[in-house]
Amino acid sequence: MNSDFSGQLVTLFGGGGFIGRYVAQALLARGARVRIAQRNPHSAAFLKPLGNLGQTQFAAADIRDAASVARVVQGSDAVISLVGSFANMDAVQHQGAAHVANACAAAGITRLVHVSAIGANVDSAAVYGRSKGQGEAAVRAAVPGAVILRPSTVFGREDQFVNRFAGLIRMLPIVPVVAGQARFQPVYVGDVAAAATAALGDARAAGRTFELGGPEILSMAALMQWIAAAIGRRPAFVPMPDAAAAAMARLTGWAPGAPLTWDQWLMLQGDTVVADGAATLADLGVSATPLAAVAPEWLVAYRRHGRFAAA
């Protein structure tokens, strides 16, 4: 395994996003020159002070546009693709993944890390899972040696998962629990970043798929109880019948800001956990971080008196 990327240019699609900022920091710390490629590179300007002079570049690219993708990968030693979306899923997660992989193949770039998700399956009933699976297939077809990472639900200070539930629990005296039996294996964003950089520097990872999960498997109901305890709240949790949740997702999920889309409901019908026998974080030399080890650092903001709350 080579953890030193000094002088190498790594193009990072989606580098200014939630996972991307952690991957960028990990690469910069290892001496890589990092090219942040995204539709609005100015939104990622906060990354510039993290590198040395000239170590960070910014390039405008829309993953849905093959020409812009091909342009920004030129001169790269390696590429990491992190872009995902709950909107325009086929265009971003299938066609976009294909654009990145095809551009790498055309440029002779064999070191490609593609971040997908547990649940990716070309036969999935959910557009999210299906587009992720089709994206993986396109990557494999264009760059057989690409490394595919499939994280479970990713948590971290800037996430839209743990924070979203914490916000609801803080506001509501009665909290409905949808798909309380669905199981997750939350993985820390720093561990996903460590896995991406390890995969890029380890020739033994080429052509393999890794499923990334944390050390704990929690049901939706148990996760919400854990969050409530962590922020010192005691709402009443009320399980929502599956029929009612499905009806809500079907009838209102199309609306902007809907609490649950139909596609999300379909994804909740399966567990988001590492499959038996899958290669994992440990195979990349990364130790999984428990939720309790890091989440209280930012969840304190949801306590009644913040950092001044009684323990």
Side-chain angles (χ1 to χ4, degrees), residues 149 175 199 227 295:
L149 303 181
V175 179
I227 295 170

mmCIF file of all heavy atoms in Angstrom, residues 149 175 199 227 295:
data_model
loop_
_atom_site.group_PDB
_atom_site.id
_atom_site.type_symbol
_atom_site.label_atom_id
_atom_site.label_comp_id
_atom_site.label_asym_id
_atom_site.label_seq_id
_atom_site.Cartn_x
_atom_site.Cartn_y
_atom_site.Cartn_z
ATOM 1 N N LEU A 149 -16.662 1.429 -4.053
ATOM 2 C CA LEU A 149 -16.946 1.481 -2.625
ATOM 3 C C LEU A 149 -18.450 1.635 -2.438
ATOM 4 O O LEU A 149 -19.063 2.541 -3.015
ATOM 5 C CB LEU A 149 -16.222 2.647 -1.968
ATOM 6 C CG LEU A 149 -14.699 2.704 -2.117
ATOM 7 C CD1 LEU A 149 -14.150 3.920 -1.377
ATOM 8 C CD2 LEU A 149 -14.047 1.429 -1.589
ATOM 9 N N VAL A 175 -42.915 11.856 17.818
ATOM 10 C CA VAL A 175 -42.137 11.624 16.598
ATOM 11 C C VAL A 175 -42.590 10.331 15.937
ATOM 12 O O VAL A 175 -42.469 9.249 16.528
ATOM 13 C CB VAL A 175 -40.632 11.549 16.907
ATOM 14 C CG1 VAL A 175 -39.840 11.277 15.631
ATOM 15 C CG2 VAL A 175 -40.152 12.828 17.575
ATOM 16 N N ALA A 199 -7.836 2.795 -1.018
ATOM 17 C CA ALA A 199 -8.107 2.048 -2.252
ATOM 18 C C ALA A 199 -7.304 2.601 -3.415
ATOM 19 O O ALA A 199 -6.834 1.854 -4.291
ATOM 20 C CB ALA A 199 -9.601 2.102 -2.566
ATOM 21 N N ILE A 227 -30.363 8.688 19.205
ATOM 22 C CA ILE A 227 -30.211 10.121 18.974
ATOM 23 C C ILE A 227 -30.908 10.912 20.069
ATOM 24 O O ILE A 227 -30.372 11.898 20.593
ATOM 25 C CB ILE A 227 -30.750 10.504 17.580
ATOM 26 C CG1 ILE A 227 -29.900 9.858 16.479
ATOM 27 C CG2 ILE A 227 -30.766 12.021 17.410
ATOM 28 C CD1 ILE A 227 -30.498 9.989 15.092
ATOM 29 N N ALA A 295 -20.291 11.448 17.197
ATOM 30 C CA ALA A 295 -21.535 12.200 17.026
ATOM 31 C C ALA A 295 -21.836 13.178 18.154
ATOM 32 O O ALA A 295 -22.341 14.283 17.890
ATOM 33 C CB ALA A 295 -22.706 11.242 16.829
#
